[in-house]
Amino acid sequence: MSTPSEPRQPHDGPALEPICVLRPRRTDALAELMREYREEIGSAPGGNEPRGYESVALPRPTAGSEDLTQEIPPLGRESGYGRGGPGPGLRRAAVAVAVVAAAVLGFGGAALLLPGENTDDKAAAPAPRPTASASAAAPTPTPTQPAADPDGPGTLREGATGPEVAELQERLLRIPDVYRDGSTSGRYDPTLTAAVARFQLWYGIRGDETGVYGNDTRLALESRTAPVVD
């Protein structure tokens, strides 16, 4: 806690007053500007406008220009636009357009489906039965003749049977090592086919198919063997 200062004796002399110090300001430049400004105003024609400027008269508007000017009405809800968005009239028009578009699309889809349904009905309909006159007028097919053997008539191949096959077996038995211990059953089996192919290879017969007893093979075999006697 601070202690109070000790009391002092009162001053017997005159009371001291505050001293105000005044500093001189440079007003010469401001006074010079004001003087020049007054001289310019005083030398002007009217005394109110500064020297160096010229007054210009504005052109008057032509007659009838006010009649050509039209005032633009303010935009609001009545015009269909504004802060409140489109008015009820535009909304109704948009709904009507959407309904018409949906109806057009529906009718178009139905029109596309109808031709397909008619086509299916026509395809499902049973075909008409031929009449008796039509069946009678139809030509009868002629029997086709069997195709001729490419190796010529009398050609024997695997699967054939008969006395001609037996004669072939007898002749091959007379050729050494061609049809050794072969059968004379009269059946053209795989063993006989191999014997015919071996004969064709050994004697250079190329006119017939391999293993087939054709004209070229027959001539070569008959020329090398004697006729078979029953």
Side-chain angles (χ1 to χ4, degrees), residues 55-61:
S55 60
V56 179
L58 296 176
R60 295 183 179 180

Side-chain angles (χ1 to χ4, degrees), residues 108-191:
L112 291 176
L113 292 176
L114 288 177
E117 294 179 357
N118 296 336
T119 305
D120 296 341
D121 296 342
K122 292 180 181 179
R129 296 181 180 179
T131 58
S133 59
S135 60
T140 57
T142 57
T144 58
Q145 297 180 357
D149 198 319
D151 295 327
T155 301
L156 301 177
R157 62 184 68 245
E158 186 174 348
T161 56
E164 294 182 353
V165 177
E167 181 182 354
L168 169 62
Q169 292 171 339
E170 291 288 345
R171 288 180 180 273
L172 288 177
L173 286 173
R174 297 175 187 177
I175 304 297
D177 300 330
V178 172
Y179 190 50
R180 181 183 298 178
D181 300 332
S183 173
T184 57
S185 61
R187 181 173 176 271
Y188 207 118
D189 54 5
T191 304

Side-chain angles (χ1 to χ4, degrees), residues 24-48:
R25 295 184 178 181
R26 297 185 60 184
T27 59
D28 299 340
L30 182 58
E32 185 67 21
L33 290 176
M34 294 299 295
R35 185 179 60 79
E36 292 178 0
Y37 179 71
R38 291 191 186 94
E39 290 179 357
E40 290 180 359
I41 293 177
S43 61
N48 296 327

